[in-house]
Amino acid sequence: MSGNVKETIREIEAGKEFEPLGMALSRWEKEIVQSYIAHWRRSCPTELANQLRSLDRKWRSTRHMRRVCAVALILADLLDQDWLVTAEKGDIYVVPSELRTDVEFDPRKHKERLRRSLRKGRDKQVQEPSVRSFLNSMERGGVLSLIDSGADLLKELQARPHTVESLAEVIDPEVVVCARDVTDDVTGLNSLDVWRYFRHTWSLEYRPTPGRTMPIIIRNRARPNRPVIGIALLASPVMRLLQRDAWFGWSADALRQGRQDETQSVKQWLAQAMAVLENAISGIRYDDLISAEAVKKPTKDDIILLERKAAGADALRARLLEEVHSGEESTYLTRGAVKEALPETDWLEASSDPLFIKKRAEVLVSLLDAKRSLMSVSRKKLSREALLEFLDKREGDRFLTTIARERLKLAVSSQLMDVAICGAIPPYNQLIGGKLVTLLLTSKEIQNAYRTRYGGQASIIASQMAGRPVVKEAELTCLTTSSLYGNAGSSQYNRLRLSGEDHPELSNDISWQRIGKTRGFGSVHLSNATVECLRDASVDFHGARRINSRFGEGTNPRMRQIREGLEALGIESDRVLAHSTPRILYGCKLTGTNSAKAISKAWIRRWLIGRVGRDDLAARLLPLGPKSVSDELASDGEGQFVLPLEDGTVHSRSSSASAGTH
């Protein structure tokens, strides 16, 4: 091992995550990967990632080489994130970039490197024939007419006094919520396709988002063709996120601290806890699992019975999935899946799917166990001190965790959305348009759109759990998001506050607040090609595809596919997913009904007036417009334009030779 690498491995704090990377490969499989690493680290380290990916291009179709390809792609993705990857004495070492001591860590340089590495994935995606065909068809359909001219916008801004009222006649945002039945009245293109076109301009490759989603386009109705200012995507949040849950008061610790409030009696607190449990139990179908008497007064034997039924349903589903994979069973996945809530949906039948028998039994285990504990405590007429002592014990902690989880379910399923995508499109990105788009997500127009889309609609998962249609309230009260580039934070969300005192148009304050950091854990650094390879490795190992992106299987199917694939390769998943680049979390509580127009005027006063007065405004805006966006999507990020051929394939030419054709 080289001196620098030895120093890195030695100086990092002791811990199993920095031991050699374990993997269940045969000796010859390991030797292939190690030989590539050793050779290219010696001869040309900068080419190591590309050479590892070449293994996948050469051998993916050969079944006995799939595991080698998967490991090679994982290591290539880590190298793109500046991880240390080296092979010495029969072992492979991987060390996250922030923990290396052989190179100096610079947060700004790391952010730029991360941006470039993510951009590589996006560039590969836009070069795929199907994606290029989509982009080209959108441009032929007129999508470029929805991009403002930086030169024309500059003239308009410079010709007017730099006042709120005057500039509001140049930028007047309109919120458009995209749907399959919503057509753009300027181009005739579908609104979702327009959104997807602009989504491809992000540095992060496009991935479909499961669960509830609201794609949003912000248009400028003050300009010809109502050009696009920016786009956003509200999506279902993860179920549990420690820092977020604590900030909103949804965690078990927050409940425990609240119990110390002496304004509420022990009896009242216990009654409220029982109400939470009874409400949750009423949302679970149990007639085929356990008796009504057992639900009323659960015993330990009742809970054991439910655990056995959950295990039996899990085994049945595993067998059915194996039969699907082998071709013996062809209808299980289609007949058991509910993709949308329709009037004719048979929820009772849907709840009888083995997946939901297992889920219902497992949830009842925790609910009835908590109810059993609560009934036992309630009979003792505890003092406040005795109750706090009980909650500090293992049984009490389990009970409190169940109560917190049920409260969290209600909030996450109907009141909270995550800002998955949010930003401005050129030329508005140079006018701090990203902050405008972010602020507009708190507007009454967005809250009304959320209520319209999800209010009165049966919840797919909750209805399958109950065996009947379940309609939840749809009141958007909270938004959260995280920085894409780790500790460097996000200039778009930092200090993003508007006070009603400073801006009379606003009926209430708007405040995006920093609420904590993640643990530096996730899958954003793994490419789609790597995830596909990991999915194949999992199918080969288990003899079935166990994750099928079905409602009810669990949140974040992509993450679960990655975990299964890594485990199939014998790699501890945390070794790869713990990238040691914590993201900053931001949150915003929606407490008022500010209109988009009012928010826009406040944004003009707070940010735009200062920006249009800058000496470099012309240099920023003049190069931007339809051509610059089209060229950006046609470039591979290294000055090469990718041009479509008649047969649908693509090739590259130098930017100097191709500039005139775009």
Side-chain angles (χ1 to χ4, degrees):
M1 193 180 293
S2 67
N4 283 343
V5 172
K6 284 182 179 178
E7 181 183 350
T8 297
I9 299 295
R10 185 172 56 248
E11 291 186 5
I12 291 175
E13 292 182 3
K16 66 177 181 179
E17 61 268 31
F18 302 114
E19 293 176 356
L21 185 67
M23 57 187 72
L25 299 186
S26 66
R27 180 177 177 181
W28 69 268
E29 288 173 325
K30 260 189 177 181
E31 287 176 350
I32 291 174
V33 179
Q34 290 170 346
S35 64
Y36 264 71
I37 295 173
H39 172 75
W40 288 101
R41 278 192 66 84
R42 285 195 306 270
S43 59
C44 187
T46 57
E47 271 296 299
L48 177 55
N50 288 334
Q51 292 302 321
L52 286 170
R53 288 196 173 94
S54 73
L55 282 171
D56 179 62
R57 293 192 293 270
K58 293 174 185 175
W59 300 108
R60 168 75 74 89
S61 59
T62 305
R63 183 165 183 172
H64 70 271
M65 287 290 288
R66 281 184 183 173
R67 300 188 331 155
V68 172
C69 293
V71 171
L73 288 178
I74 292 166
L75 297 177
D77 286 345
L78 299 184
L79 283 163
D80 282 344
Q81 306 300 320
D82 290 324
W83 283 44
L84 170 69
V85 176
T86 186
E88 298 289 340
K89 297 180 180 179
D91 287 317
I92 295 175
Y93 291 81
V94 295
V95 180
S97 55
E98 282 197 353
L99 301 177
R100 295 177 62 172
T101 58
D102 57 308
V103 292
E104 183 180 354
F105 181 78
D106 184 324
R108 291 188 177 183
K109 290 181 179 178
H110 176 69
K111 178 178 179 177
E112 184 54 37
R113 284 194 296 265
L114 181 57
R115 191 196 301 272
R116 286 200 306 268
S117 66
L118 293 176
R119 169 69 187 260
K120 288 180 183 178
R122 198 235 41 183
D123 289 341
K124 289 173 186 173
Q125 185 179 55
V126 299
Q127 291 174 36
E128 294 172 4
S130 62
V131 177
R132 286 243 57 88
S133 176
F134 168 77
L135 297 174
N136 291 334
S137 68
M138 290 295 292
E139 293 186 359
R140 289 193 300 269
V143 73
L144 296 180
S145 67
L146 303 181
I147 301 172
D148 213 341
S149 161
D152 292 345
L153 184 59
L154 177 66
K155 288 180 184 177
E156 189 79 18
L157 291 169
Q158 290 180 333
R160 291 178 174 272
H162 294 174
T163 65
V164 172
E165 294 303 325
S166 180
L167 293 178
E169 295 178 2
V170 181
I171 299 180
D172 183 15
E174 171 191 10
V175 175
V176 178
V177 178
C178 304
R180 185 52 59 188
D181 59 352
V182 176
T183 301
D184 171 49
D185 56 5
V186 175
T187 63
L189 296 168
N190 182 269
S191 61
L192 287 174
D193 290 337
V194 173
W195 186 92
R196 180 186 163 198
Y197 177 89
F198 288 109
R199 170 61 181 84
H200 279 296
T201 65
W202 256 238
S203 61
L204 191 64
E205 61 186 302
Y206 171 75
R207 296 167 185 162
T209 305
R212 289 173 294 143
T213 56
M214 272 183 54
I216 297 161
I217 299 176
I218 305 299
R219 306 282 290 268
N220 185 2
R221 57 186 157 208
R223 299 275 298 149
N225 288 345
R226 298 178 13 259
V228 174
I229 294 175
I231 64 170
L233 178 69
L234 300 185
S236 297
V238 296
M239 179 56 69
R240 294 181 184 87
L241 193 58
L242 182 62
Q243 300 88 342
R244 177 203 68 192
D245 299 344
W247 190 67
F248 284 115
W250 297 334
S251 65
D253 285 342
L255 280 178
R256 185 179 285 105
Q257 291 171 8
R259 179 72 292 276
Q260 297 174 6
D261 180 7
E262 297 185 1
T263 62
Q264 186 183 45
S265 70
V266 171
K267 184 177 180 180
Q268 288 174 324
W269 190 89
L270 293 175
Q272 287 184 3
M274 181 61 79
V276 170
L277 291 175
E278 294 291 8
N279 181 64
I281 292 169
S282 70
I284 309 294
R285 178 193 170 198
Y286 58 78
D287 62 290
D288 58 336
L289 297 173
I290 198 169
S291 70
E293 182 61 27
V295 171
K296 187 177 180 180
K297 296 180 180 179
T299 66
K300 193 170 183 179
D301 288 342
D302 295 324
I303 292 169
I304 292 173
L305 174 63
L306 285 169
E307 289 174 335
R308 289 175 177 171
K309 291 197 172 184
D314 190 38
L316 173 59
R317 183 168 188 266
R319 180 171 60 80
L320 287 170
L321 290 175
E322 289 173 2
E323 291 176 0
V324 169
H325 183 65
S326 66
E328 298 175 42
E329 163 64 66
S330 60
T331 63
Y332 168 61
L333 290 177
T334 54
R335 73 170 184 264
V338 177
K339 295 183 179 180
E340 58 180 319
L342 301 173
E344 62 271 19
T345 300
D346 187 338
W347 297 112
L348 189 64
E349 180 183 0
S351 71
S352 299
D353 182 281
L355 172 62
F356 277 89
I357 293 175
K358 171 179 176 284
K359 285 179 68 68
R360 289 189 287 121
E362 288 177 340
V363 173
L364 281 171
V365 164
S366 62
L367 291 175
L368 295 186
D369 182 56
K371 182 177 180 179
R372 181 169 161 269
S373 296
L374 183 55
M375 291 174 69
S376 174
V377 167
S378 299
R379 286 193 292 266
K380 298 178 181 178
K381 297 182 179 180
L382 296 180
S383 64
R384 186 182 307 279
E385 292 72 22
L387 176 59
L388 290 173
E389 185 179 343
F390 164 73
L391 295 178
D392 285 335
K393 294 179 179 178
R394 183 176 179 181
E395 182 184 5
D397 183 69
R398 192 168 64 243
F399 157 77
L400 203 59
T401 299
T402 299
I403 298 293
R405 185 196 64 208
E406 293 307 319
R407 292 181 58 191
L408 179 63
K409 276 184 185 178
L410 178 62
V412 169
S413 65
S414 60
Q415 301 170 8
L416 173 70
M417 291 289 270
D418 188 62
V419 182
I421 296 293
C422 185
I425 300 298
Y428 293 94
N429 60 335
Q430 295 302 320
L431 297 175
I432 321 182
K435 287 187 182 291
L436 174 60
V437 177
T438 306
L439 291 165
L440 289 171
L441 295 181
T442 71
S443 68
K444 68 178 182 181
E445 286 86 348
I446 293 294
Q447 294 176 57
N448 291 339
Y450 180 82
R451 192 179 300 114
T452 299
R453 173 166 289 195
Y454 295 110
Q457 184 182 89
S459 168
I460 293 177
I461 295 178
S463 298
Q464 289 180 92
M465 293 293 284
R468 54 181 168 78
V470 174
V471 178
K472 297 182 178 181
E473 291 185 3
E475 293 296 328
L476 186 60
T477 62
C478 312
L479 294 174
T480 57
T481 194
S482 61
S483 60
L484 180 58
Y485 300 112
N487 279 323
S490 168
S491 59
Q492 187 163 300
Y493 295 91
N494 286 341
R495 300 180 299 280
L496 190 55
R497 298 181 181 87
L498 291 175
S499 167
E501 183 177 337
D502 299 328
H503 305 282
E505 305 89 355
L506 300 179
S507 60
N508 61 280
D509 297 350
I510 302 173
S511 178
W512 278 88
Q513 299 180 41
R514 178 170 169 167
I515 61 178
K517 287 184 180 181
T518 66
R519 293 185 297 128
F521 192 90
S523 64
V524 69
H525 55 303
L526 298 180
S527 67
N528 283 348
T530 302
V531 177
E532 289 174 10
C533 219
L534 287 171
R535 183 174 60 232
D536 291 342
S538 175
V539 170
D540 289 343
F541 182 79
H542 293 289
R545 181 171 173 174
R546 305 201 304 178
I547 299 169
N548 299 279
S549 299
R550 279 188 55 189
F551 281 110
E553 281 188 331
T555 58
N556 201 336
R558 186 175 191 270
M559 177 69 85
R560 288 183 288 113
Q561 285 176 346
I562 290 170
R563 281 189 178 279
E564 273 210 349
L566 291 170
E567 289 166 5
L569 295 171
I571 298 175
E572 188 179 348
S573 59
D574 285 5
R575 293 293 311 276
V576 174
L577 297 174
H579 49 66
S580 297
T581 306
R583 290 184 174 191
I584 298 175
L585 294 172
Y586 300 91
C588 182
K589 297 177 181 179
L590 310 186
T591 58
T593 55
N594 292 311
S595 68
K597 186 175 288 292
I599 291 171
S600 176
K601 287 185 175 181
W603 167 79
I604 290 172
R605 182 182 294 107
R606 173 64 180 83
W607 285 286
L608 183 61
I609 290 176
R611 178 55 60 100
V612 298
R614 289 179 54 154
D615 294 335
D616 63 349
L617 184 64
R620 288 171 175 268
L621 291 183
L622 285 174
L624 302 178
K627 182 179 182 299
S628 68
V629 173
S630 179
D631 286 353
E632 168 73 11
L633 285 171
S635 170
D636 65 2
E638 298 179 0
Q640 301 291 314
F641 284 101
V642 181
L643 304 178
L645 296 177
E646 292 300 321
D647 61 0
T649 58
V650 296
H651 71 139
S652 296
R653 297 189 348 197
S654 68
S655 59
S656 59
S658 305
T661 66
H662 285 263

